[in-house]
Amino acid sequence: MNRRAVITATIALGLAAGPFLAGCTSKPTDPNAIVLTNVSYDPTRELYQAINPAFAAFWKQKTGKDVTFRMSHGGSGKQSRAIIDGLDADVATLGLAYDIDAIATKATLLPADWQKALPDNSSPYTSTIVFLVRKGNPKGIKDWGDLVKPGVQVITPNPKTSGGARWNFLAAWAYGKKAGGSDAAAEAYVTKLFANVPVLDSGARGSTTTFVERGIGDVLLAWENEAFLAEKELGKGQFELVAPSLSILAEPPVAVISANAKKHGTEEVADAYLRYLYTPEAQAAIAHNFYRPRDPKIAEQFKSQFPQIPMVTIDKDFGGWAKAQKTFFDDGGVFDRITTKK
Amino acid sequence: MKVRATSEDRLTQIVLIGLALTFLAFFLLLPLVAVFSEALGQGLGMFLEAVQTPDALAAIRLTLIIAAISVPLNVVFGIAASWAITKFQFPGKSLLITLIDLPFSVSPVVSGLIFVLLFGANGFVGPWLAEHDLKIIFAVPGIVLATVFITFPFVARELIPLMMEQGKDDEEAALSLGASGWQTFWHVTLPNIRWGLLYGVLLCNARAMGEFGAVSVVSGHIRGETNTMPLHVEILYNEYDFVGAFAVASLLALLALVTLVAKSVLEWRFDLHSGASH
Amino acid sequence: MSNTLALAGAPPGVLPRTIARTWRKRSVMPGFGLTFGFTLAWLTLIVLIPLATIFLKAAGMGWHEFVAVGLSPRALAAYRLSFGTAAAAALVNAVFGLLVAWVLVRYSFPGKRVVSALVDLPFALPTAVAGIALTSLYAPNGWIGQFLEPMGIKVAFTSLGITIALVFIGLPFVVRSVEPVLADLGKDVEEAAATLGASRYQTFSRVILPAIGPALLTGFAMAFARGVGEYGSVIFISGNMPGKTEIAPLLIVTQLEQYAYAGATAIAVVMMLASFAVLLLINWIQAVNRRRMGA
């Protein structure tokens, strides 16, 4: 064989192997130091920044071991795909159960009945969908019915790419169905609603920015916690939160990715971490970050913070996420139908 | 020294310069100004604070490491490829050039996806990697691979037109005078192409540091660990930390501008020195 | 003639050496085996093998399914938008990029070095930042948008906005392709042309343009190809409305969001084949041109 060809092949292989070798320098592990990887969705950064040190202290006191956290935040669906493709999460704390279901069904990294592992559908807190309008509510938006009036611009992200937007869509659907009495009426309602949408951002936070920073639109459909954040911090005094007559109970779930935790030997601490979210201390932190706490006592304490809204649920009114996703958001579903028909 | 016949009159020059600058002002300068004005809008203190958080520092470090690995790889490839393509005639040359260009035409979304399909847990070699406890995706190697892929054509693309234009007369002369292949390359070719090469390296470097889409898919977004600067920008932006986001972004822009101005100064000094001999 | 014969008769094992000896014209130049071999090996490892995965994945779905996803009316509308805006942006860049390169190489003016450095900004700025910055400029309440809005010109969230983002992304490709060649092009040919009585315009169109033509075409092709696939910057400034301002890369993301990897690769394959065809065509035109000009 040609000597030159051998040299060439060696150089090419050596160069190609370089980046791989760079990754093999793993850090030495201290048996008393535990690293927990929490893969979460976008808006929870402040929440876990408050909870993680508290849990670390709690765990240190209980077992004498140190826990450090690796946090990853991103869109809920994208994070779920990353776990399926091998991101070594010990726990997943995502925006909707559908995304954790996908991890269970497509990668079998946790049991299919994961949602039964922890109390309250494995959702330590809830939230809902509300409206955010500009100060003084110039368009007089009080309820879903006002959103389809001519000249009202509605901002919502794209349900095809954003988990939060799916909650928006389903809440709107629930209203349309209740007001009109049929699926056909609901479809007519959301068709009119989306005709009033000038921009479909790819994520929930993109929509908030479009509404708040770009000044586009009259009303933003948003997570309650996001709306509070926008009202109280982002654009203090420029916006008002409007509670509609009907909304949807959003239950962001948490789960131990058992296959990964087993591999890392973190099953116990991962489970304790998620259970810690249900303790009064964590529930208070949750309420401070504008999520609705599950603990009745803490809920009572923060009662005045959250408006009372009648809510439908995904399981009772839509037959669960798998069905809702297929009917409404997959290719050829209701959302495609209403946005492509002219 | 001006040769009248081969230059436009001053008025035409001014009009053309004005036109070019207006275009650049609208399409390049204004967005840049927007980035800096957002970054510095709350004062310099906030800016400095934002770029000194541990997460930001970790992102800066990672970005520099990624660039330091990927750029040399592409330089070696770029020189080899342009030598083969411009100094020799062989069939299928257009195809080869097109294949080198290919990464430009692949959507960043796809360039990340291909490495997930290859190395992901359900990918073609993913299970084998998992068995041997090798991590590529959601770790530094995956980010390097995606970056090398994205910046693959930069150096080659810069050198090919230049070396084509220069032809191979100089090299042939050197060879006929008895120089070896390497000597010819070091003493004839390299000096001839050095500015083009430098351009290529700088562009490759800038792009390697700025790449977002592909890296975003293979990074895993673990704070302080696999977040590069562009990813950190997105995260900060999504946290409504606009000052922080634009501060890190302007740092990236600044890095690029500094290297480019440094290049210009180098060029200028070199011109000064060699100018005496002309 | 003899080349093709030699190739057909070569046993597989010695093919690389045979290629080296007979495919190319004899040359005193050394290093063909090394550089050509390395180029192919590296290209295969980094680009071809990874890219093959999307074809493999797409091949996993049936033909009908492939057509249903990859060539659906919605996908076709997205291709039209992506290819249309990318072509428009590349054309703008070809004209203004050439102008910028010309001004930078030939004229001197204060601040030239800074301007030159500025040209590469789109490479350095993360695309998402570029998208955000452009959107904040061209949104109805932005610095530029507020003046355009009363005139009835909507930029942000329309295809015009997408084109502007792609002009931003693609500009350095043209400038940096043309610049080195223009700088290398000595003034002696122009002087010769001028001496022979050519007007400035004639010199430009007959002497300069043909010389920088290949580089300009390359820049155009790369700006175009890059624009077709661009996601990060466009996503902010396009409204993402299905059928109207929905770009093709967004459809890929949409497919992924449904965990439909095969569907995502179907769209990716269609896009890539189209861009590849354009690049190949342009590189082929150049090769033909070179041969005709006898270079």
Side-chain angles (χ1 to χ4, degrees):
Chain A
M1 201 167 160
N2 189 332
R3 197 166 58 95
R4 197 159 271 168
V6 176
I7 298 173
T8 307
T10 319
I11 296 174
L13 278 173
L15 285 176
F20 294 78
L21 295 174
C24 292
T25 51
S26 53
K27 290 165 206 144
T29 44
D30 176 0
N32 270 334
I34 305 161
V35 179
L36 210 57
T37 308
N38 180 354
V39 174
S40 194
Y41 62 121
D42 262 330
T44 57
R45 180 188 170 215
E46 289 82 6
L47 177 62
Y48 287 107
Q49 256 179 356
I51 286 176
N52 288 351
F55 175 76
F58 163 80
W59 195 248
K60 176 90 178 162
Q61 198 192 13
K62 196 173 168 207
T63 65
K65 289 179 182 167
D66 291 311
V67 188
T68 49
F69 290 91
R70 294 162 84 213
M71 289 303 303
S72 167
H73 295 273
S76 190
K78 188 175 173 187
Q79 295 292 68
S80 154
R81 285 202 306 283
I83 295 173
I84 292 171
D85 288 323
L87 181 59
D88 53 356
D90 296 294
V91 298
T93 53
L94 298 180
L96 40 131
Y98 176 70
D99 290 327
I100 298 187
D101 279 337
I103 303 172
T105 54
K106 290 182 203 302
T108 60
L109 295 173
L110 71 169
D113 62 347
W114 60 272
Q115 214 163 2
K116 297 202 177 75
L118 293 164
D120 301 320
N121 276 338
S122 287
S123 306
Y125 57 87
T126 65
S127 191
T128 189
I129 301 301
V130 296
F131 303 164
L132 194 69
V133 297
R134 301 197 184 277
K135 181 150 188 66
N137 199 352
K139 296 265 166 118
I141 291 158
K142 295 267 178 300
D143 199 4
W144 291 100
D146 301 321
L147 303 187
V148 294
K149 286 184 182 157
V152 173
Q153 285 198 322
V154 183
I155 304 294
T156 171
N158 190 343
K160 304 279 280 191
T161 52
S162 154
R166 283 172 220 162
W167 292 111
N168 293 352
F169 183 95
L170 293 178
W173 182 273
Y175 168 84
K177 192 167 173 180
K178 190 177 158 230
S182 69
D183 280 349
E187 187 164 333
Y189 172 76
V190 291
T191 307
K192 267 164 92 182
L193 175 64
F194 275 88
N196 276 354
V197 176
V199 185
L200 283 172
D201 280 286
S202 60
R205 294 228 146 164
S207 278
T208 311
T209 308
T210 298
F211 183 74
V212 171
E213 295 282 304
R214 310 268 171 269
I216 293 173
D218 303 304
V219 52
L220 171 75
L221 305 186
W223 293 89
E224 186 180 51
N225 55 300
E226 292 285 294
F228 272 123
L229 203 64
E231 189 194 19
K232 292 195 182 355
E233 287 170 20
L234 203 55
K236 224 170 185 159
Q238 301 171 35
F239 305 101
E240 286 172 24
L241 192 149
V242 172
S245 67
L246 180 77
S247 193
I248 189 163
L249 180 71
E251 295 184 310
V254 299
V256 176
I257 307 299
S258 40
N260 289 348
K262 198 168 180 181
K263 202 167 74 192
H264 305 149
T266 51
E267 283 167 297
E268 192 196 347
V269 57
D271 186 62
Y273 175 59
L274 294 187
R275 285 186 190 279
Y276 182 79
L277 297 174
Y278 293 86
T279 62
E281 302 82 64
Q283 291 279 306
I286 280 167
H288 277 301
N289 281 283
F290 311 116
Y291 299 97
R292 297 184 174 215
R294 288 285 199 182
D295 187 288
K297 258 199 223 133
I298 305 292
E300 187 61 32
Q301 211 179 310
F302 286 88
K303 198 176 169 193
S304 58
Q305 182 175 317
F306 301 104
Q308 297 296 313
I309 309 172
M311 292 181 208
V312 298
T313 68
I314 184 83
D315 289 328
K316 254 193 260 132
D317 299 83
F318 293 97
W321 265 115
K323 188 165 169 236
Q325 172 73 27
K326 195 165 179 327
T327 317
F328 294 102
F329 308 120
D330 273 355
D331 276 4
V334 173
F335 181 74
D336 281 355
R337 202 158 67 225
I338 66 162
T339 48
T340 48
K341 86 174 156 210
K342 284 281 112 42
Chain B
M1 181 189 90
K2 228 172 231 157
V3 185
R4 258 275 170 252
T6 60
S7 196
E8 290 71 29
D9 59 76
R10 197 59 199 160
L11 186 68
T12 316
Q13 285 194 17
I14 290 171
V15 168
L16 288 179
I17 293 172
L19 211 57
L21 290 187
T22 312
F23 174 79
L24 289 178
F26 268 90
F27 281 91
L28 295 182
L29 193 62
L30 267 179
L32 186 68
V33 171
V35 170
F36 276 97
S37 84
E38 289 269 3
L40 296 168
Q42 312 279 329
L44 192 65
M46 290 281 277
F47 173 87
L48 291 174
E49 207 174 295
V51 297
Q52 282 176 359
T53 62
D55 285 344
L57 289 176
I60 293 169
R61 198 162 43 236
L62 181 64
T63 296
L64 294 179
I65 291 173
I66 301 291
I69 301 175
S70 3
V71 173
L73 290 178
N74 279 330
V75 168
V76 173
F77 167 77
I79 292 174
S82 39
W83 182 275
I85 286 168
T86 58
K87 305 292 180 201
F88 304 97
Q89 288 301 325
F90 54 89
K93 199 190 255 187
S94 301
L95 180 69
L96 183 62
I97 297 180
T98 310
L99 285 174
I100 292 173
D101 284 345
L102 202 53
F104 276 148
S105 62
V106 177
S107 177
V109 179
V110 177
S111 354
L113 181 65
I114 53 177
F115 291 103
V116 170
L117 290 176
L118 200 56
F119 299 117
N122 309 304
F124 292 98
V125 293
W128 183 87
L129 290 170
E131 245 169 64
H132 294 77
D133 211 22
L134 287 172
K135 269 199 208 121
I136 291 183
I137 294 290
F138 309 124
V140 174
I143 303 176
V144 170
L145 275 175
T147 307
V148 172
F149 181 90
I150 287 285
T151 54
F152 192 82
F154 272 89
V155 180
R157 249 342 193 156
E158 203 64 44
L159 292 183
I160 291 170
L162 182 64
M163 285 167 76
M164 222 166 244
E165 173 73 28
Q166 288 176 344
K168 51 189 178 186
D169 300 347
D170 290 357
E171 281 84 359
E172 276 169 352
L175 287 165
S176 68
L177 290 173
S180 77
W182 280 111
Q183 281 172 331
T184 308
F185 173 74
W186 280 112
H187 298 296
V188 178
T189 312
L190 207 54
N192 271 342
I193 61 169
R194 63 175 179 270
W195 296 125
L197 184 62
L198 193 61
Y199 271 135
V201 168
L202 290 172
L203 297 191
C204 185
N205 183 54
R207 187 90 170 81
M209 294 198 298
E211 175 51 25
F212 168 78
V215 169
S216 164
V217 178
V218 295
S219 129
H221 297 275
I222 298 163
R223 269 180 179 266
E225 213 177 300
T226 61
N227 270 338
T228 61
M229 285 169 81
L231 299 184
H232 194 59
V233 171
E234 191 216 14
I235 287 178
L236 291 174
Y237 190 77
N238 272 345
E239 280 162 0
Y240 308 127
D241 181 359
F242 299 125
V243 172
F246 284 105
V248 177
S250 57
L251 207 60
L252 267 172
L254 215 57
L255 270 175
L257 286 179
V258 165
T259 52
L260 289 160
V261 170
K263 182 215 71 179
S264 302
V265 171
L266 267 177
E267 246 173 343
W268 174 66
R269 291 202 53 167
F270 183 84
D271 282 350
L272 222 61
H273 282 290
S274 66
S277 63
H278 279 290
Chain C
M1 258 321 245
S2 64
N3 287 357
T4 31
L5 280 177
L7 176 70
V14 293
L15 202 57
R17 285 173 72 182
T18 323
I19 288 170
R21 279 209 203 114
T22 59
W23 267 30
R24 64 187 163 100
K25 289 182 193 136
R26 287 218 162 272
S27 161
V28 288
M29 207 65 70
F32 182 76
L34 184 72
T35 55
F36 186 75
F38 178 75
T39 303
L40 270 194
W42 188 238
L43 182 72
T44 309
L45 278 173
I46 297 290
V47 177
L48 299 184
I49 292 178
L51 274 182
T53 58
I54 71 162
F55 286 93
L56 278 175
K57 195 83 187 176
M61 62 202 299
W63 180 246
H64 275 289
E65 210 186 330
F66 180 87
V67 171
V69 178
L71 299 175
S72 67
R74 189 165 173 186
L76 290 178
Y79 300 142
R80 252 198 311 279
L81 179 70
S82 277
F83 283 94
T85 50
L91 249 147
V92 171
N93 275 331
V95 173
F96 283 91
L98 177 59
L99 175 67
V100 170
W102 178 265
V103 164
L104 285 177
V105 171
R106 288 298 164 94
Y107 304 151
S108 58
F109 53 94
K112 185 170 135 179
R113 283 174 209 291
V114 178
V115 172
S116 167
L118 199 63
V119 169
D120 292 317
L121 184 76
F123 285 143
L125 213 56
T127 50
V129 176
I132 294 165
L134 287 170
T135 314
S136 65
L137 285 178
Y138 288 98
N141 68 353
W143 292 352
I144 301 179
Q146 58 181 321
F147 300 111
L148 295 178
E149 192 76 2
M151 296 192 280
I153 304 171
K154 278 192 177 26
V155 178
F157 316 119
T158 65
S159 47
L160 187 59
I162 301 175
T163 310
I164 285 181
L166 296 183
V167 169
F168 177 86
I169 293 296
L171 179 68
F173 283 103
V174 176
V175 178
R176 292 312 183 208
S177 297
V178 174
E179 210 180 346
V181 179
L182 205 54
D184 208 55
L185 191 69
K187 280 206 161 184
D188 42 352
V189 276
E190 289 171 54
E191 277 162 23
T195 319
L196 292 172
S199 74
R200 194 64 194 138
Y201 172 76
Q202 282 172 325
T203 312
F204 180 79
S205 62
R206 302 263 175 86
V207 178
I208 302 173
L209 209 53
I212 59 171
L216 187 62
L217 207 53
T218 300
F220 171 84
M222 287 194 295
F224 170 77
R226 175 92 165 79
V228 168
E230 178 54 22
Y231 179 75
S233 61
V234 175
I235 207 71
F236 290 96
I237 202 166
S238 80
N240 304 327
M241 300 303 287
K244 277 183 277 179
T245 50
E246 189 176 52
I247 53 165
L250 179 67
L251 282 186
I252 298 179
V253 175
T254 304
Q255 289 291 323
L256 289 177
E257 209 54 41
Q258 296 166 34
Y259 303 97
Y261 283 77
T265 56
I267 296 167
V269 163
V270 174
M271 279 176 67
M272 238 179 62
L273 288 179
S275 314
F276 185 74
V278 170
L279 284 181
L280 195 63
L281 181 72
I282 282 174
N283 284 331
W284 179 75
I285 291 175
Q286 291 191 5
V288 169
N289 244 341
R290 261 199 310 278
R291 232 165 284 151
R292 216 185 45 205
M293 289 177 60

